Amino acid sequence: MLVDGLFAETSDDSGALVVAGRSLSRQELVGWATAVADDIQGAAVVAVHATPTVETVVGVLAGLIGGVPVVPLPPDSGPAELAHLLGNSGAEIVLTEQPDLLADLPAGTRRPAVLPIARTNRSSTSYPEPPAGHPALILYTSGTTGPPKGALISRAAIAADLDALAQAWQWTPDDTLVHGLPLFHVHGLVLGVLGPLRLGGRLVHTGRPTPQAYAAAGGTLYFGVPTVWSRISADESAARALRGARLLVSGSAALPVPVFHRLAELAGQPPLERYGMTETLITVSGRAAGERRPGQVGLPVAGVRTRLVDDSSAPVPSDGESIGELQVSGPTLFSGYLGAGAGAGAGGAGAGTGAGFDAGAGTRSGARAGAGTAETVDGGWFATGDVATIGADGWHRIVGRASTDLIKSGGYRIGAGEVEDALLSHPAVAEAAVVGTPHDDLGEQVTAYVVAEGVNAEQLIEFVAARLSVHKRPRQVHLVDGLPRNAMGKVAKKLLTAG
């Protein structure tokens, strides 16, 4: 085993990993990563500068082999963000090929040791398997409601999620996974790197997720975010080149319905959508052998339960229409936020965070962070902060974030995503984002920000009103040149209304 209990062996060792054109066999990968693991022994936490390179994969695997929790650092982090991530996590070592990475940290910031990942030596050291509840990764949230919080992701949670997805997606060692997603999120790192390592398949990371790179990769399984799939659907030759793939998976944000249908036409199959977040990993998904529904993300994966509650925590019916906050429970949930106290985690992550790492005490530096787990996990149920509907057949439709995508207007509860899909069905509309903005009479009004040509605001309002209930029409439409997005392609809606 590569890492006993987490990764599987495979008889096909050649070219197991390709990142931006550089190829490694599994034997080379493990020998290199084990040599790095030898050098980080004794550290409480190690940070990895998560560039789209082979070195990032080696650095993360080194932590998993050596039992040292890994903090992936976004490669575009500014000095203030880096200082927060390093100080909050208590990382004692930063693995990076950029020796001056920490040069611009604010004065007074604790500076971890910087260690290059490149090695000429290889190691065959055998490390004992850490407890299943031991944190493998510390993944930081987006920080939309305050400073980013470190979510402790256990080895058991990762294993449970990847096994559930292997079942849902019929993912086998025969698959070649292709993607070009960032290596510091659940999507690109946990699913996109640890998935092939656990299941024994091959990974081709394209460096950047361009339509041309995806078309040339020759994979059987492709991961992308909506921005990636939108660009591919707009490139007819690239989309048609994916006809040989077994499965296209979209996640991290809602896939526009027009993109769903265009991929179905050009690539020969619609993408499968799934839902998850940093604290829960992937909890709801379509099935490879099942139906694909535009705008819906499927059924809970194996071991996961879901429910909807209203503002008073009362159950919301599963009728496909009633909107409630989505809560999830199961073995894929995180163990808690760093510094919030051990033992409050949920699901298969185990009690606390496992031997050798005390989330309650932080790390050796005494770092503490974020809101306590008790605020978000109730009896094993995690409140996602997302609003959704669940149909009588169990299918889930994610409306969006409760804070930005649930609009309460004149006594109605309106999901922003439904209005966005209606706008995107207009042939002149390229992008659309819908939010609630203050209104003296209604409380909130539906306001849209749209990238379009050859159409005016009033025409778009009438277009939506003709397709949805009249109360769901935008009362204001702002025509803009572009929408602000984060690294995963999600629209940063709070920037639309700032100022």
Side-chain angles (χ1 to χ4, degrees):
M1 297 270 182
L2 294 181
V3 179
D4 188 24
L6 190 55
F7 297 138
E9 290 179 341
T10 177
S11 57
D12 182 7
D13 186 56
S14 60
L17 173 76
V18 180
V19 181
R22 291 177 60 193
S23 178
L24 285 179
S25 70
R26 284 189 174 235
Q27 183 177 4
E28 292 171 323
L29 174 62
V30 175
W32 182 357
T34 304
V36 178
D38 292 345
D39 288 341
I40 62 175
Q41 282 304 292
V45 178
V46 62
V48 175
H49 191 215
T51 57
T53 60
V54 165
E55 283 80 7
T56 292
V57 178
V58 170
V60 172
L61 186 57
L64 296 175
I65 288 174
V68 181
V70 173
V71 179
L73 302 175
D76 59 350
S77 293
E81 182 179 4
L82 273 178
H84 172 72
L85 298 182
L86 295 173
N88 184 262
S89 67
E92 297 174 349
I93 297 172
V94 177
L95 295 174
T96 179
E97 294 308 297
Q98 297 183 22
D100 60 348
L101 178 67
L102 309 184
D104 295 327
L105 290 182
T109 302
R110 183 185 61 82
R111 295 172 181 266
V114 173
L115 191 67
I117 300 172
R119 297 286 188 284
T120 56
N121 62 310
R122 300 294 183 258
S123 173
S124 59
T125 303
S126 179
Y127 288 95
E129 172 71 7
H134 190 78
L137 300 171
I138 304 173
L139 299 180
Y140 275 80
T141 62
S142 59
T144 55
T145 59
K149 294 180 288 189
L152 297 163
I153 311 298
S154 74
R155 303 169 78 86
I158 292 172
D161 201 50
L162 293 177
D163 290 349
L165 294 177
Q167 177 182 329
W169 299 345
Q170 300 179 352
W171 192 354
T172 75
D174 294 329
D175 276 310
T176 294
L177 170 63
V178 176
H179 73 90
L181 302 174
L183 299 184
F184 54 91
H185 284 300
V186 168
H187 199 166
L189 178 59
V190 178
L191 275 61
V193 172
L194 304 188
L197 290 175
R198 177 165 179 78
L199 300 172
R202 186 168 178 258
L203 167 64
V204 176
H205 190 285
T206 58
R208 296 181 62 245
T210 65
Q212 296 76 21
Y214 273 44
T220 62
L221 175 61
Y222 285 80
F223 289 171
V225 298
T227 301
V228 172
W229 293 124
S230 179
R231 291 170 180 171
I232 289 173
S233 71
D235 185 328
E236 183 171 341
S237 62
R240 291 189 182 280
L242 302 186
R243 281 183 167 265
R246 184 181 64 77
L247 188 65
L248 313 178
V249 179
S250 181
S252 297
L255 182 72
V257 171
V259 175
F260 177 97
H261 289 303
R262 184 160 175 81
L263 282 172
E265 174 190 353
L266 296 177
Q269 62 170 309
L272 176 152
E273 293 192 69
R274 90 298 182 281
Y275 165 80
M277 57 192 309
T278 301
E279 293 93 337
T280 68
L281 304 183
I282 306 306
T283 51
V284 180
S285 178
R287 303 299 193 260
E291 185 181 2
R292 320 259 173 96
R293 300 181 187 176
Q296 299 191 47
V297 294
L299 305 162
V301 300
V304 170
R305 296 182 297 153
T306 63
R307 68 183 184 186
L308 298 178
V309 299
D310 63 17
D311 294 341
S312 63
S313 297
V316 170
S318 296
D319 57 12
E321 296 291 335
S322 300
I323 295 174
E325 182 181 10
L326 180 64
Q327 297 185 346
V328 300
S329 177
T332 69
L333 267 62
F334 73 139
S335 303
Y337 292 115
L338 180 63
T353 54
F357 194 90
D358 182 359
T363 65
R364 293 181 184 182
S365 67
R368 300 183 60 82
T373 314
E375 296 180 15
T376 48
V377 177
D378 176 18
W381 289 96
F382 178 74
T384 65
D386 287 325
V387 286
T389 66
I390 301 177
D393 59 0
W395 271 73
H396 291 54
R397 177 172 63 87
I398 306 300
V399 173
R401 296 298 292 170
S403 59
T404 56
D405 295 308
L406 178 60
I407 303 168
K408 298 177 182 179
S409 180
Y412 293 103
R413 293 161 66 91
I414 302 166
E418 184 179 15
V419 184
E420 289 165 356
D421 284 341
L423 287 164
L424 287 166
S425 68
H426 193 291
V429 173
E431 297 181 83
V434 170
V435 297
T437 56
H439 189 277
D440 290 340
D441 180 44
L442 300 173
E444 285 186 306
Q445 68 177 6
V446 178
T447 299
Y449 294 80
V450 178
V451 179
E453 292 185 2
V455 65
N456 61 39
E458 188 59 38
Q459 289 171 325
L460 291 175
I461 292 170
E462 293 175 358
F463 182 82
V464 174
R467 283 155 180 78
L468 302 178
S469 300
V470 173
H471 69 267
K472 296 179 180 179
R473 75 190 187 285
R475 289 179 176 264
Q476 284 189 347
V477 171
H478 301 282
L479 296 172
V480 296
D481 293 332
L483 301 178
R485 297 180 182 273
N486 64 18
M488 292 302 292
K490 295 182 182 179
V491 176
K493 290 191 173 182
K494 291 188 176 181
L495 296 179
L496 290 171
T497 55

